[in-house]
Amino acid sequence: MIDVDGVSKAYGATMALDDVSFNVGAGEVVGLLGPNGAGKTTLMRIMTGYLQADAGRVLVDGLDVAIQPLAVQQRVGYLMENAPLYHEMSVQRYLQMIAELRQIPKDEQAALISSAVRAASLGHMLTRPIGHLSKGYRQRVGLAQSIVHRPKVLILDEPTVGLDPTQIIEVRSLIDELTKHSTVLL
């Protein structure tokens, strides 16, 4: 499902990634481990088409990210470490906007949004402005937006940042459930 082959990326004289290669099969959950500054986020950005590698190749579901970034992004759900959210929007309106941007057919939007809301335990927060939510609930909104289109591949950059111990357990259970239809990279 994910093939990373010889990926390198430098920021000036600093080598963030140096000839990284690995494969992730369908339905697997794989974690990238390393200290801050090891290049994990850089690699995730390359894998999602938000950043271009200096060398190497990434295939997601058989598609080359450098050649077909939009097609890859349609298959990938991506939660950045600090998800960009519109603080003045309600949770419900934000997820509707994401569904529209993801070009989910109108007749499927309600069901998919409801599924993402249930999965992220956001039902009682739908009418609240995102800016009024705790950091943990904002993280849940970011998670819901990343799964609303039922992606084949889910890339989560530190998905439990800002969550309390109970919420961390819930997110881990959710990730386990998501492997039924998604490959997950943490």
Side-chain angles (χ1 to χ4, degrees):
M1 188 57 68
I2 300 172
D3 295 300
V4 176
D5 184 27
V7 171
S8 296
K9 178 68 180 174
Y11 296 103
T14 303
M15 185 63 84
L17 299 169
D18 187 11
D19 196 28
V20 175
S21 297
F22 64 91
N23 302 73
V24 181
E28 290 185 334
V29 177
V30 174
L32 297 176
L33 301 176
N36 290 340
K40 301 176 300 291
T41 296
T42 296
L43 181 58
M44 289 180 173
R45 289 179 181 161
I46 290 169
M47 293 171 65
T48 55
Y50 290 99
L51 186 64
Q52 191 169 14
D54 295 335
R57 186 168 106 160
V58 176
L59 299 177
V60 174
D61 195 24
L63 300 171
D64 189 316
V65 174
I67 296 171
Q68 298 172 285
L70 294 178
V72 168
Q73 289 169 358
Q74 291 172 341
R75 289 164 171 76
V76 172
Y78 180 39
L79 175 61
M80 297 178 191
E81 183 177 354
N82 295 306
L85 303 171
Y86 294 97
H87 290 250
E88 68 283 354
M89 293 179 86
S90 70
V91 171
Q92 183 172 0
R93 180 61 196 121
Y94 176 75
L95 293 175
Q96 288 171 333
M97 179 190 73
I98 295 298
E100 290 166 11
L101 290 172
R102 288 266 181 204
Q103 300 177 341
I104 296 172
K106 291 277 187 203
D107 62 335
E108 296 176 27
Q109 285 184 14
L112 289 174
I113 290 170
S114 291
S115 177
V117 165
R118 273 192 309 279
S121 300
L122 287 168
H124 59 295
M125 299 291 177
L126 286 176
T127 60
R128 293 195 186 175
I130 293 170
H132 293 178
L133 301 178
S134 69
K135 183 176 181 183
Y137 275 106
R138 286 194 305 268
Q139 191 73 354
R140 288 175 184 233
V141 173
L143 184 59
Q145 71 77 29
S146 73
I147 63 173
V148 75
H149 63 297
R150 293 204 149 195
K152 288 184 173 188
V153 175
L154 189 56
I155 298 177
L156 307 173
D157 193 354
E158 301 196 32
T160 58
V161 167
L163 302 182
D164 64 41
T166 302
Q167 292 171 327
I168 290 170
I169 292 168
E170 290 172 0
V171 168
R172 288 179 181 163
S173 294
L174 172 58
I175 290 168
D176 188 46
E177 183 70 22
L178 292 171
T179 61
K180 291 178 182 174
H181 58 80
S182 296
T183 300
V184 181
L185 184 77
L186 301 164

